[in-house]
Amino acid sequence: MQTSVTRGLEKAQDIYRSRNKSAVALASRGKKIMGYFCSYAPLEMITAMDFFPFRIQGSMDESVTKADAHMPTIACPILRSGLDLGLKGKYDFINGFVAAHTCDCQEKFCSLVQRTLNLSYYHLIDLPHVVNANSVDQFKEKLKLFQATLEEHAGRKMDNNRLKEEISVHNRQRDLVADLYMLRRHDPPLLSGTETLQIMIALMCMPIEEGSHMIEEILEELSRREGPPPKSARLLLWGSPLTETGIVHMIESADAHVVMDDICVGTRHFFPKVEMTDDPLDGIAQRYLDGIKCPRTIRDTTASFQTDLEERFGYLKEYVEKWQVDGVILQSVRYCDTHGFEVPDVKSYFEQMGIPAIYLEHEYTKVALAPLKTRVEAFLETIG
């Protein structure tokens, strides 16, 4: 007899494969769907106004045909694919779109969304690119502007108590995700990297409380799961967004466990929590600008280059130690300058810790993964 907890993992896999299903069903019942593309969209503010935030993603299964008229082929292929799906009507259930200036390419993508898709609401958050006291204050003012446009669109004011409740709801899910990642510290891990990515992507395509309940079911199931056979290495995966599990599955099929990640559909999106503050916008501004560790954000320089590395990447040392990482796969989709420029420094930081690292730049296609497996296998031989 199938248990409810088994259905938790199966539900995550089903939503991963059919990501629009929950949103289309909610839209048919009159729910307003707010699309977003990047982890910098303040989700608590969106749900506090009773909108359902849905993460727009590209697809490696569908060729880009319509977006070529708007974006060059040397632009980020994930953004091109996301726009292409929108132009083909795959995101017609979305009423509005929250954009954030994370990189120049994404800013252009967001302006194209505004121009080409028939949306009743659009707002671009001009996110600061540095972290200091002044920039956090500046970001708070931009959040106030975002709040004002949401209120105008919804026809009502945002209630601070409701916003604080939503912060608690989102923080609870972040705690549950952290519990899932704890199970990957086991040797061997109780949850594969492929399964983890499926769950993370599913969470960004379903209502927050429904997603939290799904994680509780999955945690119960995993508490009774036997670990898989051991493999030759425990790896950390760093880099640009992943919309499919292909690259993770390829690595794990090469006799390695992907036990931890630093990607913006994984720990970057879910690990930072919002601190409860008297004015909830203070905690939100701090979490989204400083808490999310994306290469698009510059930290203040210090007295030495080595100290700078610690300031920028110190959290990665904790990942390496707690998840017993043997090696690192640095990956970036082609034309992602934001991550590509960061690779030399972050690779040097890992190697100074005695952790070998390899960089893979990949096309946004599944057929391009096969040649990369040979490089991963050779890399694993150096670890062994």
Side-chain angles (χ1 to χ4, degrees):
M1 180 177 178
Q2 187 183 50
T3 64
S4 62
V5 291
T6 300
R7 288 198 297 270
L9 265 176
E10 289 180 349
K11 182 174 185 177
Q13 293 166 353
D14 180 53
I15 294 175
Y16 165 78
R17 297 187 187 104
S18 305
R19 302 173 195 185
N20 298 1
K21 183 190 299 185
S22 293
V24 170
L26 287 170
S28 69
R29 300 196 294 268
K31 185 74 172 180
K32 300 298 184 183
I33 315 297
M34 190 67 69
Y36 70 100
F37 191 86
C38 180
S39 295
Y40 284 100
L43 303 182
E44 297 84 355
M45 298 177 71
I46 297 172
T47 56
M49 297 301 287
D50 292 319
F51 298 114
F52 166 40
F54 179 90
R55 187 157 186 167
I56 301 295
Q57 301 180 65
S59 172
M60 295 172 70
D61 292 320
E62 187 160 345
S63 298
V64 173
T65 56
K66 290 185 175 294
D68 283 339
H70 303 276
M71 299 182 75
T73 56
I74 59 170
C76 170
I78 302 176
L79 291 169
R80 291 177 66 247
S81 177
L83 179 65
D84 191 72
L85 294 177
L87 292 170
K88 292 173 179 174
K90 300 296 179 68
Y91 293 127
D92 281 354
F93 55 85
I94 289 172
N95 309 106
F97 187 78
V98 179
H101 183 194
T102 52
C103 66
D104 288 344
C105 191
Q106 187 164 163
E107 184 186 24
K108 299 299 183 291
F109 161 82
C110 294
S111 66
L112 286 169
V113 168
Q114 182 186 24
R115 281 199 301 118
T116 59
L117 303 187
N118 185 26
L119 302 175
S120 60
Y121 173 85
Y122 172 87
H123 184 81
L124 172 67
I125 301 174
D126 191 11
L127 192 70
H129 276 272
V130 296
V131 174
N132 52 45
N134 290 335
S135 64
V136 174
D137 290 341
Q138 181 188 33
F139 183 41
K140 180 182 176 181
E141 294 303 311
K142 294 179 184 295
L143 291 178
K144 289 180 181 178
L145 177 60
F146 173 49
Q147 177 178 333
T149 65
L150 277 178
E151 291 173 339
E152 182 180 0
H153 179 59
R156 64 180 178 85
K157 293 292 185 180
M158 183 182 295
D159 181 77
N160 261 9
N161 290 328
R162 172 66 189 281
L163 182 54
K164 290 179 179 180
E165 290 173 5
E166 291 301 314
I167 289 172
S168 296
V169 169
H170 285 264
N171 279 348
R172 177 174 175 271
Q173 183 173 100
R174 291 162 183 146
D175 284 335
L176 290 169
V177 168
D179 290 341
L180 275 179
Y181 273 78
M182 287 289 288
L183 298 179
R184 301 172 73 189
R185 291 171 61 178
H186 290 251
D187 190 15
L190 298 182
L191 187 68
S192 72
T194 300
E195 290 173 317
T196 302
L197 185 56
Q198 288 177 340
I199 296 168
M200 298 304 104
I201 290 175
L203 289 174
M204 293 180 281
C205 301
M206 61 194 301
I208 178 74
E209 291 183 318
E210 182 183 341
S212 295
H213 179 64
M214 182 185 73
I215 303 176
E216 290 175 329
E217 291 184 323
I218 293 171
L219 286 168
E220 187 177 348
E221 175 185 356
L222 294 176
S223 70
R224 300 194 299 272
R225 173 187 271 189
E226 293 184 7
K231 295 183 178 181
S232 64
R234 296 170 58 88
L235 302 180
L236 181 149
L237 184 67
W238 176 96
S240 58
L242 297 176
T243 64
E244 270 88 10
T245 60
I247 192 167
V248 181
H249 178 73
M250 177 270 290
I251 295 168
E252 294 188 317
S253 68
D255 195 33
H257 293 297
V258 176
V259 297
M260 193 48 173
D261 68 66
D262 182 32
I263 56 176
C264 59
V265 289
T267 59
R268 288 184 201 164
H269 185 86
F270 288 101
F271 268 27
K273 294 170 62 176
V274 175
E275 180 184 352
M276 283 295 185
T277 50
D278 291 337
D279 184 347
L281 291 186
D282 288 323
I284 291 173
Q286 190 69 38
R287 187 264 179 190
Y288 281 88
L289 184 58
D290 189 24
I292 296 178
K293 308 298 185 185
C294 177
R296 56 83 56 200
T297 303
I298 305 300
R299 313 278 158 175
D300 278 347
T301 56
T302 59
S304 69
F305 178 66
Q306 188 58 43
T307 309
D308 281 348
L309 291 182
E310 288 295 336
E311 180 71 19
R312 290 159 61 191
F313 307 128
Y315 67 99
L316 294 172
K317 182 180 294 185
E318 180 181 357
Y319 291 173
V320 166
E321 293 173 351
K322 290 187 175 181
W323 275 264
Q324 304 170 60
V325 170
D326 302 312
V328 177
I329 304 285
L330 308 169
Q331 60 79 29
S332 174
V333 69
R334 181 165 289 188
Y335 309 123
C336 181
D337 292 341
T338 303
H339 286 85
F341 286 138
E342 191 86 328
V343 166
D345 286 349
V346 72
K347 187 173 186 290
S348 174
Y349 184 77
F350 281 119
E351 290 173 346
Q352 287 177 27
M353 284 191 284
I355 304 297
I358 185 175
Y359 173 51
L360 305 177
E361 184 182 62
H362 54 94
E363 302 279 359
Y364 192 59
T365 61
K366 291 182 178 178
V367 295
L369 297 179
L372 297 180
K373 186 174 181 180
T374 303
R375 294 188 59 200
V376 171
E377 290 171 337
F379 174 66
L380 293 176
E381 289 181 6
T382 67
I383 295 177

